[in-house]
Amino acid sequence: MIVLVINSGSSSLKYQVRDTEAEPGTNPVLLEGIVERIGEGEVSDHAKALGVVAHHLGDQRIDAVGHRVVHGGERFSEPVRINNEVTRAIERLNPLAPLHNPANVLGIRAITEKWPELPQVAVFDTAFHRTMPPKAWRYAVPNELYTMHGIRRYGFHGTSHQYVAGRAAELLDRPVSELNAVIAHLGNGASATAIRGGQSVDTSMGFTPLEGLVMGTRSGDVDPGILLFLQREGFTAAEIDTMLNRNSGLKALAGRNDMREIVEAAYPEDGGKYDGDARLALDVAAYRLAKYIGGYHVAVGGAQALIFTAGIGENSDTFRALVVEQLGALGVKLDEAANRERSKQPRVISSVDSAIPVLVVPTDEERAIADAVVAVLATP
Ligand code: ADP
């Protein structure tokens, strides 16, 4: 099946065309692109953006469309075929993801208008985490916050964590339903997930993607008392939002958020200038992740593997080493040469005497979305 995968944001629309039956070794991405600055100039809205996509597609056949939808709330625990009722249900979740879901809905409506006959499937970033038990998703705050406002932990990056769990199980040669593991998805956004029996039982992002690990520009966990303090000092909600989501994390500590630059500054090659701020940023981020890994090792009843994925997880041997060197208490050890090796393949990077294997498993969210489209459309 040829699937158009759409990731529709408020001012950009990313797309990929995937052949789900591509032979191994052949290029699975038939076409891809991004339409940016939607709302400015000629590309005044998502319908116009789709016109740009249609032009790029030319006479490329498309059988179905898969949408990455950020928030599925409590309703969606699996990918679903889109109809008007589903679109409205996604729209009702707008208050929970005010930046993302409205843009996802615009993308869905633009496709419905342009190609009404194409089947569409919504794949939710939160869905994989619907298996978390209440003890993991409840905040210890007054009940009305949950019942009236839906304030609970939802978790994100689910499509990636689920895909990576599946690939890791293959590499470990066991059914995914028997996999207990900790997955660290480390991109610009970052989250760790505790996998027990192949399911998510805890994850570090919460009500929003702000909770948990130190990220490129997001703070991750902070004392909520800080927000109250800032409010009393006169900061507005919008200012605090920008501060914690866009100007925190690695960017705040190291002055930049590209992991490559931070590593170079913290470990300068012959003669370069040592940057203590960059080193501190790495230490804070690695320490936070190491603590989550220790906690999730307990949550899953003993992990059988630690798995790194996404831009930093797949590519930064330095960051992986900084994390794993703090896991001595768990007996986890890297094979230095294997850790340094560059490859796009899923692989083991731990030493033979490591208590559990450490894996690098490249994620592929578009592939996961395309596969989900095939699965949903195959079920009557
Ligand atoms: P997004 O969340 O935007 O999808 P990615 O998964 O692409 O993010 O990850 C982006 C991060 O990966 C950036 O911090 C980037 O510096 C880092 N990264 C990419 N390639 C490398 C590399 N070769 N070495 C170290 N870090 C890398």
Side-chain angles (χ1 to χ4, degrees):
M1 185 174 270
I2 309 291
V3 180
L4 172 62
V5 178
I6 299 275
N7 185 349
S8 172
S10 52
S11 66
S12 71
L13 192 150
K14 280 191 235 166
Y15 59 97
Q16 261 193 18
V17 178
R18 303 290 296 241
D19 179 357
T20 59
E21 284 142 40
E23 292 291 322
T26 59
N27 185 2
V29 182
L30 300 178
L31 262 174
E32 66 183 320
I34 176 165
V35 185
E36 290 179 291
R37 287 189 281 280
I38 299 174
E40 296 172 31
E42 276 180 27
V43 189
S44 53
D45 59 19
H46 283 71
K48 291 262 168 36
L50 207 59
V52 178
V53 178
H55 183 73
H56 186 193
L57 293 179
D59 51 14
Q60 170 67 55
R61 186 186 103 214
I62 301 290
D63 300 317
V65 180
H67 292 269
R68 174 179 187 217
V69 178
V70 167
H71 219 303
E74 291 203 311
R75 161 147 178 202
F76 297 106
S77 53
E78 284 178 349
V80 288
R81 182 154 182 173
I82 293 174
N83 56 31
N84 286 338
E85 193 274 320
V86 167
T87 310
R88 281 195 300 273
I90 295 171
E91 206 166 27
R92 278 197 297 276
L93 294 167
N94 283 357
L96 293 179
L99 290 180
H100 297 105
N101 273 37
N104 297 150
V105 169
L106 288 172
I108 291 169
R109 294 226 161 102
I111 298 264
T112 311
E113 205 162 293
K114 191 159 188 65
W115 294 302
E117 71 293 350
L118 269 189
Q120 300 185 65
V121 171
V123 181
F124 302 91
D125 246 27
T126 49
F128 181 57
H129 302 301
R130 289 285 286 110
T131 47
M132 285 196 291
K135 67 181 177 186
W137 61 253
R138 276 306 283 264
Y139 289 113
V141 295
N143 199 32
E144 310 86 77
L145 293 189
Y146 170 54
T147 53
M148 308 274 290
H149 301 286
I151 293 178
R152 50 160 285 176
R153 310 186 63 257
Y154 292 97
F156 298 88
H157 286 151
T159 308
S160 173
H161 285 293
Q162 182 170 24
Y163 175 82
V164 167
R167 291 289 90 79
E170 280 171 20
L171 185 64
L172 296 169
D173 201 17
R174 73 180 53 167
V176 69
S177 59
E178 289 170 21
L179 178 72
N180 294 348
V182 181
I183 301 177
H185 173 115
L186 311 174
N188 279 313
S191 66
T193 291
I195 304 283
R196 188 169 197 156
Q199 297 188 322
S200 169
V201 293
D202 205 347
T203 193
S204 59
M205 285 178 167
F207 177 61
T208 73
L210 186 53
E211 192 177 340
L213 305 178
V214 176
M215 311 182 209
T217 65
R218 294 189 199 124
S219 61
D221 297 331
V222 292
D223 177 351
I226 296 170
L227 281 69
L228 304 176
F229 173 85
L230 291 174
Q231 204 181 24
R232 285 196 299 271
E233 292 292 304
F235 286 84
T236 65
E239 285 167 344
I240 298 174
D241 185 335
T242 304
M243 186 188 298
L244 296 179
N245 276 300
R246 294 179 189 274
N247 295 327
S248 291
L250 297 173
K251 185 178 172 190
L253 294 170
R256 57 201 131 190
N257 60 323
D258 187 307
M259 183 53 89
R260 275 162 296 207
E261 291 179 23
I262 296 171
V263 167
E264 273 164 36
Y267 298 94
E269 309 239 327
D270 11 81
K273 192 172 162 299
Y274 167 73
D275 180 342
D277 291 341
R279 184 64 170 275
L280 178 67
L282 293 177
D283 284 345
V284 174
Y287 175 62
R288 176 90 51 89
L289 175 55
K291 287 198 293 184
Y292 267 96
I293 293 168
Y296 287 176
H297 188 53
V298 172
V300 304
Q304 301 149 337
L306 166 62
I307 306 157
F308 287 96
T309 191
I312 297 168
E314 291 166 30
N315 297 301
S316 184
D317 53 302
T318 305
F319 191 71
R320 290 191 301 252
L322 281 172
V323 174
V324 174
E325 78 189 15
Q326 302 184 61
L327 302 177
L330 303 180
V332 183
K333 290 181 209 156
L334 289 184
D335 176 314
E336 279 181 36
N339 182 41
R340 275 198 302 271
E341 211 171 279
R342 303 222 155 264
S343 159
K344 292 278 162 221
Q345 296 305 314
R347 59 197 186 275
V348 178
I349 58 166
S350 44
S351 64
V352 283
D353 62 340
S354 179
I356 58 169
V358 181
L359 315 182
V360 173
V361 176
T363 190
D364 186 347
E365 287 177 276
E366 286 79 13
R367 162 77 192 274
I369 291 171
D371 287 349
V373 169
V374 173
V376 167
L377 297 182
T379 40

